[in-house]
Amino acid sequence: MELALIASLLIGAALACLAYAGSEHFGRAFAFVENDFTDKLRKMRTRAPNLRAVLICWLAVTSAVFIVMWIMLGLPIVGLLVGVLLFCLPWFILRRMAERRQEQIEDQLADAMVSLSSAIRAGLSLAQAMEILARQCPPPIAQEFQQIYGEYQMGKTLEACLAEAKTRLQSENFALFAAAMEASRQSGGRLNETVERIAHSVRELQRLERKIHAETAQARTSAFYMALMPPFFLLVYYFGLDPEGTSRLFTQLPGQIMLATAAVLNVLAYFWARKILSPEI
Protein backbone atom coordinates (compact mmCIF):
# COMPACT_ATOMS: atom_id res chain seq x y z
CA MET A 1 0.00 0.00 0.00
CA GLU A 2 2.80 2.40 0.90
CA LEU A 3 4.67 1.54 -2.29
CA ALA A 4 1.55 2.24 -4.35
CA LEU A 5 1.10 5.60 -2.61
CA ILE A 6 4.73 6.56 -3.19
CA ALA A 7 4.49 5.48 -6.82
CA SER A 8 1.34 7.54 -7.26
CA LEU A 9 3.01 10.62 -5.76
CA LEU A 10 6.08 10.21 -7.96
CA ILE A 11 3.95 9.77 -11.07
CA GLY A 12 1.87 12.82 -10.17
CA ALA A 13 5.01 14.90 -9.61
CA ALA A 14 6.48 13.72 -12.92
CA LEU A 15 3.27 14.58 -14.77
CA ALA A 16 3.17 18.01 -13.10
CA CYS A 17 6.77 18.73 -14.14
CA LEU A 18 6.04 17.55 -17.66
CA ALA A 19 2.95 19.74 -17.87
CA TYR A 20 4.89 22.76 -16.58
CA ALA A 21 7.78 22.22 -19.01
CA GLY A 22 5.50 21.86 -22.02
CA SER A 23 2.86 24.36 -20.96
CA GLU A 24 3.48 26.64 -23.94
CA HIS A 25 3.16 23.85 -26.51
CA PHE A 26 0.22 22.38 -24.63
CA GLY A 27 -1.50 25.78 -24.66
CA ARG A 28 -1.05 26.08 -28.42
CA ALA A 29 -2.39 22.58 -29.01
CA PHE A 30 -5.36 23.20 -26.72
CA ALA A 31 -6.10 26.51 -28.46
CA PHE A 32 -6.02 24.74 -31.83
CA VAL A 33 -8.48 22.11 -30.60
CA GLU A 34 -10.75 24.78 -29.11
CA ASN A 35 -10.73 26.84 -32.31
CA ASP A 36 -11.47 23.76 -34.41
CA PHE A 37 -14.40 22.83 -32.14
CA THR A 38 -15.69 26.41 -32.33
CA ASP A 39 -15.46 26.40 -36.12
CA LYS A 40 -17.33 23.09 -36.42
CA LEU A 41 -20.04 24.24 -34.01
CA ARG A 42 -20.38 27.50 -35.92
CA LYS A 43 -20.88 25.59 -39.16
CA MET A 44 -23.57 23.54 -37.47
CA ARG A 45 -25.14 26.73 -36.07
CA THR A 46 -24.68 25.56 -32.50
CA ARG A 47 -23.36 27.70 -29.69
CA ALA A 48 -21.26 26.43 -26.79
CA PRO A 49 -20.55 29.31 -24.40
CA ASN A 50 -18.66 27.05 -21.94
CA LEU A 51 -16.66 25.15 -24.54
CA ARG A 52 -13.30 25.72 -22.84
CA ALA A 53 -14.61 24.41 -19.52
CA VAL A 54 -16.13 21.36 -21.22
CA LEU A 55 -12.85 20.59 -23.00
CA ILE A 56 -10.87 20.96 -19.78
CA CYS A 57 -13.27 18.60 -17.96
CA TRP A 58 -13.07 16.08 -20.79
CA LEU A 59 -9.27 16.29 -20.77
CA ALA A 60 -9.33 15.66 -17.03
CA VAL A 61 -11.55 12.60 -17.52
CA THR A 62 -9.29 11.13 -20.20
CA SER A 63 -6.23 11.82 -18.04
CA ALA A 64 -7.92 10.07 -15.13
CA VAL A 65 -8.65 7.04 -17.32
CA PHE A 66 -4.99 6.95 -18.36
CA ILE A 67 -3.75 7.18 -14.76
CA VAL A 68 -6.16 4.47 -13.56
CA MET A 69 -5.13 2.09 -16.35
CA TRP A 70 -1.48 2.84 -15.66
CA ILE A 71 -1.38 2.59 -11.86
CA MET A 72 -4.19 0.20 -11.01
CA LEU A 73 -4.18 -2.07 -14.06
CA GLY A 74 -0.53 -1.81 -15.05
CA LEU A 75 -1.33 -0.87 -18.66
CA PRO A 76 0.53 2.41 -19.35
CA ILE A 77 0.78 2.10 -23.14
CA VAL A 78 -2.77 0.82 -23.56
CA GLY A 79 -3.99 3.50 -21.13
CA LEU A 80 -2.27 6.21 -23.17
CA LEU A 81 -3.87 4.88 -26.36
CA VAL A 82 -7.32 4.70 -24.76
CA GLY A 83 -6.93 8.22 -23.37
CA VAL A 84 -5.99 9.65 -26.76
CA LEU A 85 -8.88 7.84 -28.45
CA LEU A 86 -11.34 9.07 -25.81
CA PHE A 87 -10.14 12.65 -26.22
CA CYS A 88 -10.34 12.50 -30.03
CA LEU A 89 -13.74 10.78 -30.14
CA PRO A 90 -15.89 13.93 -29.60
CA TRP A 91 -13.82 15.81 -32.18
CA PHE A 92 -14.31 13.02 -34.72
CA ILE A 93 -18.07 12.86 -34.09
CA LEU A 94 -18.44 16.63 -34.37
CA ARG A 95 -16.36 16.68 -37.55
CA ARG A 96 -18.52 14.01 -39.14
CA MET A 97 -21.70 15.88 -38.20
CA ALA A 98 -20.33 19.10 -39.75
CA GLU A 99 -19.31 17.22 -42.91
CA ARG A 100 -22.77 15.68 -43.25
CA ARG A 101 -24.40 19.08 -42.90
CA GLN A 102 -22.05 20.44 -45.57
CA GLU A 103 -22.96 17.53 -47.85
CA GLN A 104 -26.67 18.25 -47.35
CA ILE A 105 -26.12 21.89 -48.30
CA GLU A 106 -24.24 20.86 -51.43
CA ASP A 107 -27.05 18.48 -52.42
CA GLN A 108 -29.74 21.13 -51.87
CA LEU A 109 -27.89 23.96 -53.59
CA ALA A 110 -28.79 22.97 -57.17
CA ASP A 111 -32.53 22.85 -56.38
CA ALA A 112 -32.26 26.19 -54.60
CA MET A 113 -30.64 27.75 -57.68
CA VAL A 114 -33.43 26.41 -59.91
CA SER A 115 -36.02 27.90 -57.55
CA LEU A 116 -34.18 31.22 -57.61
CA SER A 117 -34.12 31.21 -61.40
CA SER A 118 -37.84 30.46 -61.57
CA ALA A 119 -38.64 33.27 -59.14
CA ILE A 120 -36.59 35.79 -61.14
CA ARG A 121 -38.20 34.63 -64.38
CA ALA A 122 -41.59 35.24 -62.77
CA GLY A 123 -40.68 38.91 -62.35
CA LEU A 124 -39.48 39.03 -58.76
CA SER A 125 -36.45 40.99 -57.69
CA LEU A 126 -33.35 39.26 -56.42
CA ALA A 127 -34.15 40.23 -52.83
CA GLN A 128 -37.69 38.85 -53.15
CA ALA A 129 -36.33 35.65 -54.67
CA MET A 130 -33.91 35.28 -51.76
CA GLU A 131 -36.82 35.71 -49.35
CA ILE A 132 -38.69 32.88 -51.10
CA LEU A 133 -35.63 30.64 -50.80
CA ALA A 134 -35.36 31.47 -47.11
CA ARG A 135 -38.99 30.44 -46.54
CA GLN A 136 -39.38 27.46 -48.88
CA CYS A 137 -36.02 25.67 -48.99
CA PRO A 138 -35.52 22.69 -46.65
CA PRO A 139 -32.96 22.86 -43.85
CA PRO A 140 -30.05 23.18 -43.53
CA ILE A 141 -29.65 25.40 -46.60
CA ALA A 142 -32.75 27.38 -45.60
CA GLN A 143 -30.87 28.56 -42.51
CA GLU A 144 -28.13 30.02 -44.70
CA PHE A 145 -30.58 31.87 -46.95
CA GLN A 146 -32.47 33.09 -43.89
CA GLN A 147 -29.27 34.58 -42.51
CA ILE A 148 -28.40 36.16 -45.86
CA TYR A 149 -31.84 37.69 -46.25
CA GLY A 150 -31.99 38.75 -42.59
CA GLU A 151 -28.66 40.55 -42.80
CA TYR A 152 -29.79 42.19 -46.06
CA GLN A 153 -32.95 43.41 -44.33
CA MET A 154 -30.81 44.83 -41.50
CA GLY A 155 -29.06 47.14 -43.96
CA LYS A 156 -26.08 45.19 -45.29
CA THR A 157 -25.45 45.15 -49.00
CA LEU A 158 -26.21 41.93 -50.82
CA GLU A 159 -22.58 41.69 -51.91
CA ALA A 160 -21.43 41.79 -48.28
CA CYS A 161 -24.01 39.18 -47.26
CA LEU A 162 -22.91 36.85 -50.04
CA ALA A 163 -19.23 37.38 -49.24
CA GLU A 164 -19.83 36.45 -45.59
CA ALA A 165 -21.84 33.40 -46.67
CA LYS A 166 -18.98 32.26 -48.93
CA THR A 167 -16.55 32.52 -46.03
CA ARG A 168 -18.95 30.74 -43.69
CA LEU A 169 -19.89 27.86 -46.00
CA GLN A 170 -16.53 27.37 -47.77
CA SER A 171 -18.34 25.78 -50.71
CA GLU A 172 -17.03 26.08 -54.26
CA ASN A 173 -20.52 25.68 -55.71
CA PHE A 174 -21.93 28.42 -53.51
CA ALA A 175 -18.96 30.66 -54.34
CA LEU A 176 -19.74 30.18 -58.04
CA PHE A 177 -23.40 30.92 -57.37
CA ALA A 178 -22.55 34.09 -55.44
CA ALA A 179 -20.10 35.24 -58.13
CA ALA A 180 -22.80 34.83 -60.79
CA MET A 181 -25.26 36.94 -58.78
CA GLU A 182 -22.68 39.67 -58.19
CA ALA A 183 -21.67 39.73 -61.86
CA SER A 184 -25.29 39.87 -62.97
CA ARG A 185 -26.07 42.76 -60.62
CA GLN A 186 -23.07 44.74 -61.84
CA SER A 187 -23.44 44.06 -65.58
CA GLY A 188 -27.21 43.74 -65.79
CA GLY A 189 -27.17 40.33 -67.49
CA ARG A 190 -29.86 37.68 -67.37
CA LEU A 191 -29.38 36.20 -63.94
CA ASN A 192 -31.93 33.41 -64.36
CA GLU A 193 -30.14 31.92 -67.37
CA THR A 194 -26.76 32.13 -65.64
CA VAL A 195 -28.09 30.49 -62.49
CA GLU A 196 -29.76 27.74 -64.52
CA ARG A 197 -26.48 26.91 -66.24
CA ILE A 198 -24.66 26.83 -62.90
CA ALA A 199 -27.39 24.59 -61.44
CA HIS A 200 -27.02 22.23 -64.41
CA SER A 201 -23.25 22.06 -63.86
CA VAL A 202 -23.70 21.43 -60.13
CA ARG A 203 -26.16 18.63 -60.80
CA GLU A 204 -23.76 16.99 -63.24
CA LEU A 205 -21.00 17.12 -60.64
CA GLN A 206 -23.35 15.65 -58.05
CA ARG A 207 -24.34 12.89 -60.46
CA LEU A 208 -20.67 11.99 -60.99
CA GLU A 209 -20.02 12.07 -57.24
CA ARG A 210 -22.98 9.77 -56.57
CA LYS A 211 -21.80 7.41 -59.30
CA ILE A 212 -18.31 7.22 -57.79
CA HIS A 213 -19.81 6.81 -54.33
CA ALA A 214 -21.98 3.91 -55.53
CA GLU A 215 -19.12 2.20 -57.35
CA THR A 216 -16.83 2.42 -54.31
CA ALA A 217 -19.48 1.44 -51.73
CA GLN A 218 -18.43 -2.22 -51.71
CA ALA A 219 -14.76 -1.29 -51.29
CA ARG A 220 -15.58 1.01 -48.35
CA THR A 221 -17.59 -1.77 -46.73
CA SER A 222 -14.67 -4.15 -47.21
CA ALA A 223 -12.31 -1.61 -45.62
CA PHE A 224 -14.63 -1.38 -42.60
CA TYR A 225 -14.77 -5.14 -42.12
CA MET A 226 -11.01 -5.42 -42.60
CA ALA A 227 -10.54 -2.87 -39.82
CA LEU A 228 -12.71 -5.04 -37.55
CA MET A 229 -10.74 -8.22 -38.23
CA PRO A 230 -7.72 -7.55 -35.93
CA PRO A 231 -9.90 -6.88 -32.83
CA PHE A 232 -12.04 -9.90 -33.73
CA PHE A 233 -9.06 -12.25 -33.95
CA LEU A 234 -7.64 -10.75 -30.76
CA LEU A 235 -10.84 -11.67 -28.93
CA VAL A 236 -10.84 -15.15 -30.50
CA TYR A 237 -7.29 -15.83 -29.33
CA TYR A 238 -7.88 -14.26 -25.91
CA PHE A 239 -11.04 -16.22 -25.07
CA GLY A 240 -10.44 -19.40 -27.04
CA LEU A 241 -7.25 -20.37 -28.83
CA ASP A 242 -4.42 -19.00 -26.67
CA PRO A 243 -5.58 -17.02 -23.61
CA GLU A 244 -2.23 -17.20 -21.81
CA GLY A 245 -0.13 -16.03 -24.75
CA THR A 246 -2.60 -13.31 -25.72
CA SER A 247 -2.77 -11.96 -22.17
CA ARG A 248 0.95 -11.13 -22.41
CA LEU A 249 0.05 -8.42 -24.91
CA PHE A 250 -1.66 -6.65 -22.01
CA THR A 251 0.52 -7.60 -19.03
CA GLN A 252 4.00 -7.06 -20.49
CA LEU A 253 5.39 -3.76 -21.77
CA PRO A 254 6.65 -5.08 -25.15
CA GLY A 255 3.25 -6.65 -25.74
CA GLN A 256 1.49 -3.37 -24.92
CA ILE A 257 3.76 -1.52 -27.36
CA MET A 258 3.00 -4.08 -30.08
CA LEU A 259 -0.73 -3.89 -29.33
CA ALA A 260 -0.81 -0.07 -29.36
CA THR A 261 1.25 0.08 -32.57
CA ALA A 262 -1.07 -2.40 -34.28
CA ALA A 263 -4.14 -0.43 -33.16
CA VAL A 264 -2.73 2.87 -34.45
CA LEU A 265 -1.72 1.35 -37.79
CA ASN A 266 -5.12 -0.31 -38.13
CA VAL A 267 -6.95 3.00 -37.58
CA LEU A 268 -4.60 4.86 -39.95
CA ALA A 269 -5.08 2.19 -42.62
CA TYR A 270 -8.86 2.47 -42.36
CA PHE A 271 -8.90 6.25 -42.71
CA TRP A 272 -6.35 6.08 -45.51
CA ALA A 273 -8.57 3.63 -47.38
CA ARG A 274 -11.59 5.92 -46.82
CA LYS A 275 -9.57 8.83 -48.20
CA ILE A 276 -8.54 6.90 -51.30
CA LEU A 277 -12.08 5.68 -51.92
CA SER A 278 -13.57 9.19 -51.60
CA PRO A 279 -11.92 11.15 -54.44
CA GLU A 280 -12.81 14.77 -54.99
CA ILE A 281 -14.10 15.82 -58.42
Side-chain angles (χ1 to χ4, degrees):
M1 186 67 181
E2 294 180 356
L3 292 177
L5 180 60
I6 294 174
S8 301
L9 293 175
L10 291 176
I11 291 173
L15 291 176
C17 294
L18 182 63
Y20 178 78
S23 58
E24 182 178 356
H25 299 288
F26 177 78
R28 292 178 181 176
F30 190 84
F32 171 79
V33 173
E34 184 181 7
N35 292 334
D36 191 66
F37 267 77
T38 303
D39 181 64
K40 297 298 184 298
L41 291 172
R42 179 183 57 82
K43 289 183 178 180
M44 296 178 61
R45 296 187 168 275
T46 303
R47 301 182 63 182
N50 299 321
L51 178 61
R52 177 180 290 267
V54 172
L55 290 178
I56 292 175
C57 291
W58 186 244
L59 179 61
V61 170
T62 56
S63 301
V65 171
F66 165 64
I67 293 174
V68 167
M69 295 189 69
W70 183 1
I71 297 176
M72 296 185 177
L73 302 180
L75 304 174
I77 305 300
V78 177
L80 178 61
L81 180 63
V82 171
V84 172
L85 291 178
L86 282 178
F87 185 76
C88 293
L89 185 61
W91 173 81
F92 176 74
I93 294 174
L94 186 62
R95 184 183 180 88
R96 286 298 303 157
M97 293 173 64
E99 289 177 353
R100 288 180 180 177
R101 186 179 186 276
Q102 184 71 23
E103 291 172 358
Q104 288 180 338
I105 291 177
E106 297 288 348
D107 291 339
Q108 296 169 355
L109 186 58
D111 294 333
M113 284 191 276
V114 172
S115 300
L116 178 70
S117 175
S118 300
I120 294 174
R121 190 185 297 110
L124 299 179
S125 65
L126 182 57
Q128 291 173 332
M130 295 291 290
E131 181 183 6
I132 291 176
L133 291 181
R135 287 192 286 105
Q136 296 183 355
C137 286
I141 198 171
Q143 298 171 337
E144 304 299 332
F145 285 118
Q146 287 169 3
Q147 180 171 349
I148 294 172
Y149 182 73
E151 292 175 349
Y152 177 74
Q153 289 292 99
M154 294 293 291
K156 285 187 178 181
T157 62
L158 187 59
E159 289 80 2
C161 296
L162 292 174
E164 292 177 0
K166 284 192 296 183
T167 303
R168 183 170 63 251
L169 292 177
Q170 298 179 353
S171 168
E172 295 181 359
N173 293 331
F174 186 86
L176 185 61
F177 168 65
M181 288 199 294
E182 292 176 6
S184 178
R185 283 173 57 86
Q186 294 175 3
S187 61
R190 294 184 177 180
L191 179 60
N192 60 325
E193 296 181 358
T194 304
V195 171
E196 282 182 355
R197 286 195 291 268
I198 295 175
H200 177 73
S201 301
V202 171
R203 280 180 170 170
E204 284 297 313
L205 288 174
Q206 290 176 352
R207 183 183 63 82
L208 291 175
E209 289 176 353
R210 291 190 183 100
K211 182 179 180 181
I212 293 175
H213 189 272
E215 291 179 350
T216 57
Q218 184 176 359
R220 286 196 306 275
T221 304
S222 300
F224 176 73
Y225 285 121
M226 288 177 64
L228 292 180
M229 284 298 102
F232 173 75
F233 282 113
L234 181 65
L235 292 175
V236 169
Y237 272 85
Y238 186 81
F239 290 103
L241 298 179
D242 188 11
E244 182 179 355
T246 309
S247 62
R248 295 175 183 173
L249 293 174
F250 298 93
T251 57
Q252 298 184 5
L253 185 60
Q256 295 179 32
I257 295 175
M258 293 172 58
L259 190 62
T261 303
V264 171
L265 292 177
N266 190 44
V267 172
L268 290 177
Y270 172 71
F271 283 109
W272 192 3
R274 295 277 301 186
K275 182 67 175 179
I276 294 174
L277 296 171
S278 300
E280 296 182 359
I281 300 179

